[in-house]
Amino acid sequence: MDAVRVALLREVLAGTEWLRATRRFAGVLRSSVVPHGGGLLLVGTERYEPWHLAAHLTDEAAWSGLPELSPTLVRHRVEPGGPPHLSVGLGRLEAARRGETLLVVAPDRPADGLLERVHDARRAGATVLALDGGDREVRGLVHESLTVASDAELDLDTVQHLVSAAAGENTLPPQRGTGRFRDRLGRLADQLTAPPPGRW
């Protein structure tokens, strides 16, 4: 999802709880990694690997000048001979320490082995965050979570786009009035399709 689509989505969601929640969560993520110079670990479940979020956070790190946002993707299965950025296994969670941040993306309930590793990382001092599907055990292990239930208006992929984009923002944009959905969408369409200003 490019910046124009994120802007369109934000315009549609202006005044909703989703926009506030994703910005709040992104703020927690950013304030957790930037003061410590990075140390962001990103892990999913056996059935869901958040490689897309890893790519977007890496892009945001480059665009915002905040390399601390670039995560290490921790994988359940590592292929032999793979590139280094795809070769970090679950053993990395056992080495997590104070000053590091572990972001768990769990649309479904993780296996007990992952939950134990997350618990151990928290006990070792790592800050643990989660984008989750509402599992009580996951939420009980983390410092901060953003729940995306299966019946929510937005899906987990969309929420990940909003979180990664907000994490890279230098400042939060001003709040806008709620307005009607069609009015907001129409104003944004006009802005996006307007011809470029003339040169003097």
Side-chain angles (χ1 to χ4, degrees):
M1 186 178 292
D2 58 30
V4 172
R5 290 182 180 158
V6 170
L8 175 60
L9 181 58
R10 285 177 167 171
E11 186 71 18
V12 170
L13 294 172
T16 69
E17 184 54 38
W18 279 114
L19 201 54
R20 288 186 292 271
T22 53
R23 282 194 167 130
R24 178 194 53 75
F25 187 83
V28 171
L29 172 62
R30 181 174 167 152
S31 66
S32 180
V33 298
V34 170
H36 296 288
L40 176 58
L41 304 173
L42 178 62
V43 68
T45 64
E46 287 187 22
R47 294 190 295 176
Y48 185 87
E49 185 169 82
W51 61 268
H52 204 162
L53 178 58
H56 282 290
L57 284 170
T58 300
D59 289 343
E60 288 297 333
W63 295 332
S64 66
L66 293 171
E68 301 89 353
L69 290 174
S70 187
T72 297
L73 180 62
V74 178
R75 307 182 71 198
H76 288 260
R77 288 173 296 283
V78 174
E79 300 295 328
H85 70 285
L86 296 177
S87 299
V88 179
L90 289 176
R92 176 61 180 88
L93 299 183
E94 296 167 10
R97 295 292 176 259
R98 184 172 306 283
E100 293 185 304
T101 300
L102 173 57
L103 175 54
V104 180
V105 182
D108 51 4
R109 187 180 190 285
D112 289 339
L114 177 60
L115 291 173
E116 289 171 12
R117 285 182 166 101
V118 170
H119 180 260
D120 291 344
R122 179 175 172 144
R123 269 197 339 207
T127 300
V128 182
L129 311 175
L131 289 170
D132 65 85
D135 184 79
R136 291 172 60 183
E137 196 161 353
V138 170
R139 295 181 71 192
L141 286 175
V142 302
H143 294 95
E144 189 76 34
S145 68
L146 178 58
T147 298
V148 186
S150 58
D151 60 350
E153 300 87 355
L154 300 181
D155 63 14
L156 183 64
D157 287 338
T158 301
V159 169
Q160 290 178 73
H161 283 293
L162 291 169
V163 167
S164 61
E169 288 179 339
N170 289 326
T171 59
L172 293 179
Q175 291 282 20
R176 298 184 178 183
T178 55
R180 289 182 41 210
F181 170 76
R182 284 188 182 196
D183 295 337
R184 294 192 312 253
L185 190 56
R187 282 193 307 273
L188 182 63
D190 290 343
Q191 292 170 2
L192 294 176
T193 58
R199 298 188 178 196
W200 296 95

